[in-house]
Protein backbone atom coordinates (compact mmCIF):
# COMPACT_ATOMS: atom_id res chain seq x y z
CA UNK A 1 0.00 0.00 0.00
CA UNK A 2 1.32 3.43 -0.99
CA UNK A 3 1.26 6.06 1.75
CA UNK A 4 2.06 9.75 2.03
CA UNK A 5 3.51 11.88 4.75
CA UNK A 6 1.06 14.36 6.22
CA UNK A 7 1.75 17.71 7.81
CA UNK A 8 -1.51 19.62 8.10
CA UNK A 9 -3.75 21.10 10.77
CA UNK A 10 -6.58 18.80 9.69
CA UNK A 11 -4.51 15.78 8.81
CA UNK A 12 -7.42 13.38 9.41
CA UNK A 13 -9.16 14.78 6.32
CA UNK A 14 -6.08 14.22 4.16
CA UNK A 15 -5.53 10.72 5.56
CA UNK A 16 -9.20 9.85 5.05
CA UNK A 17 -9.19 11.09 1.47
CA UNK A 18 -6.01 9.16 0.70
CA UNK A 19 -7.29 5.93 2.24
CA UNK A 20 -10.52 6.36 0.26
CA UNK A 21 -8.48 6.82 -2.89
CA UNK A 22 -6.56 3.62 -2.10
CA UNK A 23 -9.87 1.75 -1.79
CA UNK A 24 -11.31 3.20 -4.99
CA UNK A 25 -8.18 2.38 -6.97
CA UNK A 26 -8.08 -1.17 -5.66
CA UNK A 27 -4.87 -0.86 -3.65
CA UNK A 28 -7.03 -1.74 -0.64
CA UNK A 29 -9.47 -4.44 -1.74
CA UNK A 30 -12.95 -5.28 -0.40
CA UNK A 31 -12.65 -7.39 2.73
CA UNK A 32 -8.98 -6.53 3.20
CA UNK A 33 -7.77 -5.66 6.69
CA UNK A 34 -6.13 -2.26 7.05
CA UNK A 35 -2.82 -1.89 8.87
CA UNK A 36 -3.11 -1.18 12.58
CA UNK A 37 -3.58 2.35 13.92
CA UNK A 38 0.05 2.35 15.06
CA UNK A 39 1.27 1.23 11.63
CA UNK A 40 -0.86 3.79 9.79
CA UNK A 41 0.22 6.57 12.14
CA UNK A 42 3.88 5.74 11.41
CA UNK A 43 3.24 5.47 7.66
CA UNK A 44 1.49 8.82 7.42
CA UNK A 45 3.62 10.56 10.03
CA UNK A 46 0.68 11.61 12.18
CA UNK A 47 -0.68 10.86 15.64
CA UNK A 48 -2.93 7.90 16.38
CA UNK A 49 -5.90 10.19 17.06
CA UNK A 50 -5.63 11.50 13.49
CA UNK A 51 -5.87 7.96 12.14
CA UNK A 52 -8.85 7.18 14.38
CA UNK A 53 -10.71 10.25 13.14
CA UNK A 54 -10.01 9.34 9.50
CA UNK A 55 -11.21 5.77 10.04
CA UNK A 56 -14.32 6.96 11.89
CA UNK A 57 -15.22 9.16 8.92
CA UNK A 58 -14.76 6.29 6.46
CA UNK A 59 -16.91 4.07 8.66
CA UNK A 60 -19.67 6.67 8.76
CA UNK A 61 -19.53 6.92 4.95
CA UNK A 62 -19.85 3.16 4.56
CA UNK A 63 -16.36 2.33 3.25
CA UNK A 64 -14.93 0.36 6.18
CA UNK A 65 -16.01 -1.82 9.09
CA UNK A 66 -14.41 -1.39 12.52
CA UNK A 67 -14.53 -4.64 14.47
CA UNK A 68 -13.99 -4.27 18.19
CA UNK A 69 -10.73 -5.98 19.03
CA UNK A 70 -10.43 -7.23 15.47
CA UNK A 71 -9.17 -4.29 13.46
CA UNK A 72 -10.53 -2.33 10.52
CA UNK A 73 -11.59 -3.91 7.23
CA UNK A 74 -12.60 -2.53 3.85
CA UNK A 75 -16.31 -3.19 3.32
CA UNK A 76 -17.01 -6.36 1.35
CA UNK A 77 -19.60 -4.41 -0.66
CA UNK A 78 -18.48 -0.88 -1.40
CA UNK A 79 -20.72 2.15 -1.88
CA UNK A 80 -21.14 2.99 -5.55
CA UNK A 81 -20.09 6.55 -4.74
CA UNK A 82 -19.74 8.80 -1.69
CA UNK A 83 -23.18 9.16 -0.11
CA UNK A 84 -23.21 12.94 -0.27
CA UNK A 85 -20.99 15.96 0.05
CA UNK A 86 -22.61 16.54 3.44
CA UNK A 87 -20.74 13.52 4.80
CA UNK A 88 -17.50 15.48 4.50
CA UNK A 89 -18.85 18.02 6.98
CA UNK A 90 -18.84 15.42 9.73
CA UNK A 91 -15.33 13.99 9.42
CA UNK A 92 -13.65 15.85 12.25
CA UNK A 93 -13.96 15.77 16.01
CA UNK A 94 -15.22 19.34 16.07
CA UNK A 95 -17.97 18.37 13.63
CA UNK A 96 -19.09 15.54 15.89
CA UNK A 97 -19.44 18.02 18.74
CA UNK A 98 -21.36 20.39 16.47
CA UNK A 99 -23.65 17.53 15.48
CA UNK A 100 -24.43 16.97 19.16
CA UNK A 101 -25.33 20.65 19.46
CA UNK A 102 -27.74 20.27 16.53
CA UNK A 103 -29.17 17.12 18.07
CA UNK A 104 -29.89 18.94 21.33
CA UNK A 105 -31.92 21.56 19.51
CA UNK A 106 -33.84 19.08 17.37
CA UNK A 107 -34.31 16.24 19.83
CA UNK A 108 -35.34 18.25 22.88
CA UNK A 109 -38.18 19.66 20.78
CA UNK A 110 -38.97 16.24 19.35
CA UNK A 111 -39.15 14.72 22.83
CA UNK A 112 -41.58 17.42 24.00
CA UNK A 113 -43.82 16.84 21.00
CA UNK A 114 -43.52 13.06 21.43
CA UNK A 115 -44.71 13.34 25.03
CA UNK A 116 -47.79 15.18 23.82
CA UNK A 117 -48.58 13.09 20.74
CA UNK A 118 -47.13 9.60 21.27
CA UNK A 119 -49.29 6.59 20.51
CA UNK A 120 -49.11 3.14 22.05
CA UNK A 121 -47.34 2.00 18.89
CA UNK A 122 -44.72 4.71 19.38
CA UNK A 123 -44.20 3.61 22.98
CA UNK A 124 -43.84 -0.01 21.94
CA UNK A 125 -41.18 0.97 19.41
CA UNK A 126 -39.25 2.78 22.15
CA UNK A 127 -39.64 -0.17 24.53
CA UNK A 128 -38.23 -2.51 21.89
CA UNK A 129 -35.20 -0.26 21.42
CA UNK A 130 -34.61 -0.06 25.18
CA UNK A 131 -34.91 -3.83 25.45
CA UNK A 132 -32.28 -4.31 22.75
CA UNK A 133 -30.06 -1.70 24.40
CA UNK A 134 -30.28 -3.57 27.71
CA UNK A 135 -29.56 -6.88 26.01
CA UNK A 136 -26.52 -5.42 24.28
CA UNK A 137 -25.28 -4.17 27.64
CA UNK A 138 -25.80 -7.56 29.31
CA UNK A 139 -23.94 -9.50 26.61
CA UNK A 140 -21.38 -6.74 25.99
CA UNK A 141 -22.46 -6.36 22.36
CA UNK A 142 -21.54 -2.77 21.56
CA UNK A 143 -22.83 -2.98 17.97
CA UNK A 144 -26.30 -3.98 19.18
CA UNK A 145 -26.19 -1.18 21.74
CA UNK A 146 -25.34 1.36 19.06
CA UNK A 147 -28.15 0.20 16.78
CA UNK A 148 -30.66 0.27 19.63
CA UNK A 149 -29.48 3.74 20.67
CA UNK A 150 -30.09 5.10 17.17
CA UNK A 151 -33.45 3.30 16.97
CA UNK A 152 -34.58 4.87 20.26
CA UNK A 153 -33.77 8.41 19.15
CA UNK A 154 -35.41 7.86 15.75
CA UNK A 155 -38.50 6.47 17.51
CA UNK A 156 -38.78 9.69 19.51
CA UNK A 157 -38.61 11.71 16.29
CA UNK A 158 -41.32 9.54 14.73
CA UNK A 159 -43.52 9.98 17.80
CA UNK A 160 -43.32 13.78 17.41
CA UNK A 161 -45.74 13.52 14.50
CA UNK A 162 -43.96 16.39 12.73
CA UNK A 163 -43.08 15.29 9.20
CA UNK A 164 -40.43 17.98 8.69
CA UNK A 165 -38.69 17.15 11.96
CA UNK A 166 -38.77 13.45 11.08
CA UNK A 167 -37.23 14.18 7.67
CA UNK A 168 -34.49 16.27 9.29
CA UNK A 169 -33.63 13.47 11.71
CA UNK A 170 -33.66 10.91 8.89
CA UNK A 171 -31.32 13.10 6.85
CA UNK A 172 -28.92 13.01 9.80
CA UNK A 173 -29.29 9.28 10.38
CA UNK A 174 -25.84 8.28 9.11
CA UNK A 175 -24.13 11.05 11.06
CA UNK A 176 -26.31 10.25 14.09
CA UNK A 177 -25.02 6.69 14.00
CA UNK A 178 -21.43 7.92 13.71
CA UNK A 179 -21.75 10.27 16.69
CA UNK A 180 -23.29 7.54 18.87
CA UNK A 181 -20.61 5.06 17.83
CA UNK A 182 -17.85 7.55 18.58
CA UNK A 183 -19.18 8.59 21.99
CA UNK A 184 -19.65 4.97 23.05
CA UNK A 185 -16.19 4.07 21.76
CA UNK A 186 -14.57 6.86 23.73
CA UNK A 187 -16.42 6.51 26.99
CA UNK A 188 -19.62 4.63 27.57
CA UNK A 189 -18.35 1.11 27.03
CA UNK A 190 -15.02 1.49 28.77
CA UNK A 191 -16.78 0.73 32.06
CA UNK A 192 -19.92 -1.27 32.75
CA UNK A 193 -21.15 1.37 35.22
CA UNK A 194 -21.12 4.15 32.63
CA UNK A 195 -22.94 1.95 30.12
CA UNK A 196 -25.59 1.21 32.76
CA UNK A 197 -25.97 4.92 33.46
CA UNK A 198 -26.52 5.55 29.76
CA UNK A 199 -29.33 2.97 29.71
CA UNK A 200 -30.94 4.54 32.78
CA UNK A 201 -30.90 7.99 31.15
CA UNK A 202 -32.73 6.59 28.11
CA UNK A 203 -35.24 4.84 30.38
CA UNK A 204 -35.91 8.11 32.22
CA UNK A 205 -36.54 9.90 28.92
CA UNK A 206 -38.95 7.16 27.91
CA UNK A 207 -40.78 7.39 31.25
CA UNK A 208 -41.31 11.13 30.77
CA UNK A 209 -42.69 10.58 27.26
CA UNK A 210 -44.92 7.75 28.47
CA UNK A 211 -46.26 9.99 31.26
CA UNK A 212 -46.79 12.80 28.72
CA UNK A 213 -44.57 15.18 30.69
CA UNK A 214 -43.42 17.53 27.91
CA UNK A 215 -41.08 19.63 30.04
CA UNK A 216 -39.37 16.64 31.65
CA UNK A 217 -38.99 14.82 28.34
CA UNK A 218 -37.39 17.80 26.60
CA UNK A 219 -35.16 18.64 29.55
CA UNK A 220 -34.17 14.99 29.97
CA UNK A 221 -32.91 14.53 26.45
CA UNK A 222 -31.17 17.92 26.48
CA UNK A 223 -29.37 17.01 29.71
CA UNK A 224 -28.45 13.61 28.32
CA UNK A 225 -26.93 15.04 25.14
CA UNK A 226 -25.14 17.77 27.10
CA UNK A 227 -23.40 15.06 29.14
CA UNK A 228 -22.46 13.20 25.97
CA UNK A 229 -21.09 16.42 24.47
CA UNK A 230 -18.99 17.16 27.57
CA UNK A 231 -17.58 13.64 27.67
CA UNK A 232 -16.86 13.66 23.94
CA UNK A 233 -15.02 16.98 24.17
CA UNK A 234 -12.92 15.79 27.11
CA UNK A 235 -12.14 12.42 25.54
CA UNK A 236 -11.19 13.91 22.18
CA UNK A 237 -8.93 16.48 23.85
CA UNK A 238 -7.22 13.72 25.82
CA UNK A 239 -6.94 11.52 22.75
CA UNK A 240 -5.54 14.39 20.69
CA UNK A 241 -2.93 15.06 23.33
CA UNK A 242 -1.81 11.44 23.40
CA UNK A 243 -1.66 11.38 19.62
CA UNK A 244 0.99 14.11 19.62
CA UNK A 245 3.38 11.99 21.68
Amino acid sequence: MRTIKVEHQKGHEIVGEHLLQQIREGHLEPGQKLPSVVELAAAYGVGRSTIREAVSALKAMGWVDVRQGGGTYVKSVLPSEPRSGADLLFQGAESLVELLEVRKVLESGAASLAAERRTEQDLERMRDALSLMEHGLNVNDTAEGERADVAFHMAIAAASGNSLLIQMMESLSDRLNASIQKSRELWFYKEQSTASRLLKEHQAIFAAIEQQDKELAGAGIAAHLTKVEQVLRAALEKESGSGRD
Side-chain angles (χ1 to χ4, degrees), residues 104 106-118 126 152-153 156 201-225:
K104 276 193 293 184
L106 289 178
E107 294 192 54
S108 59
S112 294
L113 288 173
E116 181 180 8
R117 302 173 178 176
R118 91 289 185 280
M126 293 178 213
F152 180 76
H153 287 274
I156 292 175
E201 289 180 3
H202 283 81
Q203 290 171 332
I205 293 167
F206 169 77
I209 292 174
E210 184 179 34
Q211 295 163 14
Q212 295 190 296
D213 190 328
K214 295 175 57 177
E215 288 74 19
L216 187 60
I221 205 161
H224 163 65
L225 291 175

Side-chain angles (χ1 to χ4, degrees), residues 57 176 217:
L176 174 62

Side-chain angles (χ1 to χ4, degrees), residues 112-150:
S112 294
L113 288 173
E116 181 180 8
R117 302 173 178 176
R118 91 289 185 280
T119 64
E120 186 55 41
Q121 185 178 7
D122 292 323
L123 294 175
E124 190 61 31
R125 184 178 173 186
M126 293 178 213
R127 289 190 192 99
D128 288 343
L130 289 173
S131 179
L132 288 174
M133 196 182 301
E134 185 171 10
H135 180 264
L137 172 61
N138 291 336
V139 300
N140 197 29
D141 186 337
T142 58
E144 182 176 50
E146 290 166 15
R147 290 191 298 270
D149 202 331
V150 173

Side-chain angles (χ1 to χ4, degrees), residues 5 57 124 170 184 233-234 245:
K5 292 290 183 179
E124 190 61 31
E170 288 177 345
R184 284 173 174 266
R233 285 182 185 275
D245 291 341

